[in-house]
């Protein structure tokens, strides 16, 4: 739902994701997707300073903030106009789980 909804939510809106806890059904979101989204939140994109890349380039341009407490995270939208992405851009990237370590820690 994160990859589907974030580009479609109106500027300034929010997406609430519940039940992010260490259980079988939610654990990979908590351990793989959320840390990569947090990394993207702080991505500056200055190729002259540090070679770094975004983990989720389809949603990174739309996120203004991520706030988590207990087992709930709120994804805040920035003021970028919402779009209607195609089906491929609306899906969880195929390497979101298998490429998490590389995206998080390099090499970049």
């Amino acid at each position: 739902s994160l990859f589907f909804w974030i580009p479609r939510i109106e500027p300034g809106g929010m997406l609430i994701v519940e039940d992010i806890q260490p259980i079988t059904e939610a654990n990979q979101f908590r351990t793989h997707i959320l840390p990569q989204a947090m990394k993207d939140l702080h991505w500056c994109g200055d190729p002259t300073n540090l070679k770094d890349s975004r983990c989720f380039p389809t949603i990174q341009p739309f996120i203004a903030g991520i706030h988590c407490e207990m087992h709930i995270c709120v994804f805040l939208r920035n003021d970028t106009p919402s779009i209607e992405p195609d089906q491929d851009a609306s899906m969880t990237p195929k390497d979101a789980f298998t490429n998490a370590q590389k995206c998080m820690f390099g090499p970049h």
Side-chain angles (χ1 to χ4, degrees):
S1 65
L2 179 67
F3 297 93
F4 181 85
W5 284 113
I6 286 292
R8 291 172 171 85
I9 293 174
E10 288 298 315
M14 63 179 77
L15 174 68
I16 299 171
V17 181
E18 299 179 300
D19 300 325
I20 301 170
Q21 55 214 39
I23 60 173
T24 303
E25 296 81 8
N27 202 47
Q28 283 200 316
F29 183 88
R30 186 180 64 87
T31 61
H32 291 69
I33 302 298
L34 189 56
Q36 291 181 87
M38 292 293 283
K39 175 188 180 269
D40 281 358
L41 179 63
H42 300 284
W43 182 77
C44 294
D46 181 3
T48 62
N49 188 14
L50 178 66
K51 298 283 186 208
D52 196 10
S53 60
R54 297 174 288 176
C55 297
F56 302 133
T58 60
I59 63 170
Q60 182 273 335
F62 300 101
I63 297 176
I66 302 169
H67 303 280
C68 299
E69 188 171 331
M70 298 294 289
H71 301 137
I72 298 172
C73 288
V74 177
F75 292 82
L76 303 174
R77 275 282 272 112
N78 59 20
D79 59 358
T80 302
S82 58
I83 62 168
E84 184 66 36
D86 64 23
Q87 184 174 355
D88 289 338
S90 299
M91 306 292 290
T92 302
K94 64 180 187 261
D95 61 349
F97 298 104
T98 57
N99 197 35
Q101 290 291 331
K102 182 179 178 192
C103 187
M104 291 292 297
F105 305 113
H108 296 288

